Amino acid sequence: MCLYNLGFTQEEAARRILAEHHMRVPRRTVSHWIANFRSITAFHRLRPAAVLAFGCDMIRDRMLDHRQEYHYQVHLAKLSLLRDAVPPGVGAKIESYLLSVFEDFPHHLFRDAEVGDVASDGALQAPAPAALRSSQSRFETLPFAPIAKENLANDLAALGLLLARKNTDRHPSVQDFMLANDSSTIACELPVYLRPEELAYYKARSFFVALPEFERPITGHIDVVQLRNGLIHLLDYKPNARDIDPVNQLLVYALAFASRTRLPLLRIQCGWFDDRD
């Protein structure tokens, strides 16, 4: 299904499965898979236009060396076809930021300084303070009641998990499956950062966030970015989602994404999910 929705024909998908996995799958079996999961893999509505415009080059990706490796991916076809899913001007700002990661992007912000810089006189300076990761942020929030529901994200996660051979494969398997097969995921592992002066900007406008003072940007990688129903959805895949509270992390994601794209926070909705919740 992933190969088919990335632009390959059913025959090409069968040949690639044989070449890559040494499994002979008849074309009619591929056709059966596609038909059987059509209600879940909603990309079929966009596929004809996507194939016409992008062929099999729908996804642009890059491995990011940000203390550990992150596989950043952007679905170019959905990014182009979903511009009407958000208000005019919003899509252009999102696209500009997503593509900037491939160009002149401050990747150094995402790496810890292991040694100090060398001054002009040859003396070794103290290392710069490491950037704070969004997952490490802890601060007080207003009371809230989590609202749990089931939707296609759960079904897609369940199917994506079938591709994971070990626990460390769970995140990329879910991300790859959603990126290829749903109708709204436009990017995975999107790097974002929030500068101290940007947090001060929000605080100056009565948006109170009790984050501690920090000298370097807070950094993070958003698992899944979606465009749907006029909003930007920032989603985090969390196994055992009902037992986890990543609200601090998601709030930092929202502040950072809004700062990087120069979009208002009211355009952003956050959530976390697994294959059940």
Side-chain angles (χ1 to χ4, degrees), residues 50-78:
V51 172
L52 183 63
F54 293 88
C56 296
D57 298 319
M58 297 186 193
I59 291 180
R60 186 176 180 185
D61 68 328
R62 176 176 179 177
M63 294 304 298
L64 305 177
D65 180 16
H66 290 176
R67 295 182 236 177
Q68 66 186 64
E69 283 196 334
Y70 292 87
H71 188 197
Y72 174 56
Q73 301 181 83
V74 177
H75 200 296
L76 300 175
K78 280 191 254 185

Side-chain angles (χ1 to χ4, degrees), residues 228-244:
R228 54 187 169 91
N229 300 327
L231 295 173
I232 306 153
H233 293 256
L234 309 181
L235 303 181
D236 214 30
Y237 171 69
K238 297 287 190 187
N240 302 314
R242 69 178 61 181
D243 300 321
I244 293 174

